[in-house]
Amino acid sequence: MNNYPIITKKIIKDNEALKKIQKENKKKYGRKMLFGYPKASIPKVIIENGYIDMVGKQEHREPKVFKLSELLIDIEKSELTGMSGNNFPTYKKLKSAIAATAKNKIIIINGAECDPGLIHDAWLIRNKLEDIIFGSKLVAEMVNASEVLLATKLIKNEVIEGIKVKNLPNRYPIGAERILIEEVLKVKIDKKEIPVKKGILVLNVQTIAAIAEIAQNKFLRGSRYITVADYCRGEAKVAKVNYNMKAKEVLEKIYGKQGNKVMYAGSGIMGAHEIDQDENITPEINFVGYGYKMNYDNASKCKKCGTCTRNCPMGIKVNKIVSCHEKNISDNISQYGLEDCINCGTCSFLCKAGKNTMEIVNMY
């Protein structure tokens, strides 16, 4: 199922509530950067409005005697996957980190949450910081890491119980793994290199919190935290859900039936799709929400402003690709870097011609 941005700069410009929220968020995380990487600044367009547990109480479990030597096995049995939405088995990533031969291994806890429509990672940092710290220490000992860094916009640079906090700029997509590594460590990882094999282990804050719960025999397999939103109003709740729940029912339970709006699900509002009637919550889904019907116009003429290319975090010449597409020319189009696309949606969000430029890039 193809995901795409379900919000654009123009939509925000035409919605006073969203404009106001973005302005407030800009001040809240206001590290001003005249220059920097990535270039795009896309602040939050929603405000957190509470938490709801849709899983309910789990059966009582007796605390077990924790053994670090057994934790990796327990993580594998739990079927925990990366909570950023990549669905990669966490135990496999940890095994790669253990096997890495780097002299100084580093763990980066990814709390960037750069998507303008997500709030649950920030909620976890505020409400589950003890678990995040505990889980970080467990993983550090397991993989023999020399340093642990928590990367977030929420906390200033400081040290919390031996964990260094790296305050991030409010840029998008600062949470993409290689971009995050470059910002935090000032190290550039080639696209052919796998960071964990070089001794750099990046784990999402929710993944780390889940590891802490596994160690304490509190983890409920098949559950996760997501953002549930009505972004037309700029409002969202954090919800704990199960993977077997219907995405449509989760959204209606929290925000009711709203026939005049479209129901979406995906990794965030920068990468979502219209919900299928029987679609379940899956490890890839971070977001369900109501939004506007998207009316991209790929037939519209490119304005040749170059905004897409200037703001692409991967340096792709999006405007050149769009120009070739309009002229029906595909020869040598690969020279413009389309294979480097990470589907962040920045170009589509900013396009003044109303094109879904990310979709055009992915056609080739």
Side-chain angles (χ1 to χ4, degrees):
M1 197 170 294
N2 293 328
N3 288 337
Y4 50 87
I6 57 169
I7 195 164
T8 64
K9 190 172 182 178
K10 185 180 185 306
I11 288 174
I12 297 169
K13 186 178 178 181
D14 294 340
N15 186 311
E16 288 300 322
L18 300 186
K19 267 203 303 187
K20 185 179 178 182
I21 292 167
Q22 262 208 344
K23 191 175 180 180
E24 289 171 354
N25 273 286
K26 222 171 206 177
K27 290 179 183 176
K28 184 177 179 181
Y29 301 118
R31 269 182 68 188
K32 291 186 178 180
M33 294 174 66
L34 295 176
F35 306 99
Y37 170 76
K39 294 178 181 178
S41 175
I42 311 177
K44 299 291 183 186
V45 294
I46 54 174
I47 295 173
E48 182 193 316
N49 189 27
Y51 165 73
I52 181 167
D53 186 347
M54 299 185 73
V55 175
K57 291 183 179 180
Q58 62 189 80
E59 74 280 2
H60 175 70
R61 297 179 188 173
E62 290 296 329
K64 66 176 185 179
V65 178
F66 167 69
K67 292 182 181 178
L68 184 65
S69 59
E70 297 176 359
L71 183 56
L72 188 62
I73 296 169
D74 291 341
I75 292 170
E76 181 177 2
K77 287 179 180 176
S78 75
E79 299 179 356
L80 178 66
T81 61
M83 293 293 193
S84 62
N86 62 22
N87 200 23
F88 187 79
T90 300
Y91 84 92
K92 288 187 176 180
K93 197 167 189 179
L94 291 171
K95 282 177 76 173
S96 293
I98 292 167
T101 57
K103 186 178 179 181
N104 296 308
K105 297 179 186 178
I106 298 171
I107 298 171
I108 300 176
I109 310 305
N110 189 349
E113 195 168 60
C114 55
D115 187 287
L118 297 181
I119 57 168
H120 57 274
D121 279 357
W123 183 89
L124 284 165
I125 291 171
R126 289 197 304 271
N127 293 277
K128 301 283 184 180
L129 189 57
E130 280 189 16
D131 280 344
I132 293 166
I133 291 169
F134 179 48
S136 299
K137 290 180 176 179
L138 293 177
V139 174
E141 190 174 349
M142 182 192 299
V143 307
N144 194 28
S146 58
E147 189 174 22
V148 181
L149 298 146
L150 171 60
T152 177
K153 292 178 285 188
L154 291 177
I155 308 171
K156 302 288 185 186
N157 290 332
E158 59 178 285
V159 178
I160 303 175
E161 294 189 35
I163 296 172
K164 294 180 182 177
V165 177
K166 172 65 177 177
N167 183 250
L168 298 173
N170 195 16
R171 293 298 179 105
Y172 181 83
I174 198 75
E177 187 168 89
R178 282 172 171 77
I179 295 173
L180 184 68
I181 290 170
E182 187 170 348
E183 170 64 27
V184 173
L185 301 179
K186 308 306 177 190
V187 172
K188 194 158 188 170
I189 303 292
D190 187 85
K191 64 182 178 181
K192 293 179 181 177
E193 295 178 311
I194 299 172
V196 71
K197 290 188 177 181
K198 293 178 70 68
I200 303 170
L201 174 63
V202 181
L203 293 171
N204 177 265
V205 288
Q206 188 170 176
T207 307
I208 283 288
I211 289 171
E213 289 184 347
I214 291 167
Q216 298 169 86
N217 202 27
K218 296 191 300 185
F219 180 69
L220 186 59
R221 185 164 58 184
S223 66
R224 64 163 300 150
Y225 296 93
I226 65 170
T227 296
V228 183
D230 179 349
Y231 84 74
C232 301
R233 296 188 301 178
E235 183 181 306
K237 293 183 187 293
V238 176
K240 190 172 186 180
V241 296
N242 282 329
Y243 291 151
N244 61 356
M245 292 177 175
K246 302 290 183 193
K248 177 176 178 286
E249 292 173 4
V250 168
L251 183 53
E252 289 179 344
K253 175 83 173 175
I254 294 177
Y255 282 110
K257 293 184 178 181
Q258 300 189 38
N260 60 329
K261 297 175 184 175
V262 181
M263 305 175 85
Y264 291 103
S267 59
I269 63 173
M270 294 297 283
H273 57 268
E274 291 190 29
I275 291 176
D276 286 341
Q277 189 70 19
D278 297 319
E279 185 174 356
N280 285 345
I281 301 293
T282 67
E284 291 93 345
I285 289 178
N286 280 308
F287 165 90
V288 295
Y290 283 114
Y292 298 103
K293 179 70 177 177
M294 295 305 297
N295 294 305
Y296 287 112
D297 185 7
N298 286 354
S300 68
K301 196 74 175 169
C302 174
K303 294 186 181 296
K304 304 189 185 304
C305 63
T307 302
C308 52
T309 294
R310 284 195 303 276
N311 287 278
C312 176
M314 305 310 293
I316 300 167
K317 291 182 170 54
V318 182
N319 61 330
K320 298 286 188 182
I321 296 168
V322 170
S323 178
C324 288
H325 178 74
E326 289 184 345
K327 296 172 184 175
N328 200 25
I329 298 171
S330 59
D331 292 347
N332 299 318
I333 199 169
S334 61
Q335 67 180 304
Y336 300 125
L338 52 84
E339 70 280 357
D340 294 330
C341 180
I342 58 172
N343 294 312
C344 67
T346 302
C347 55
S348 296
F349 175 85
L350 294 171
C351 182
K352 294 178 181 180
K355 291 174 174 286
N356 186 353
T357 46
M358 183 179 78
E359 181 182 52
I360 293 171
V361 170
N362 284 322
M363 287 179 183
Y364 298 94

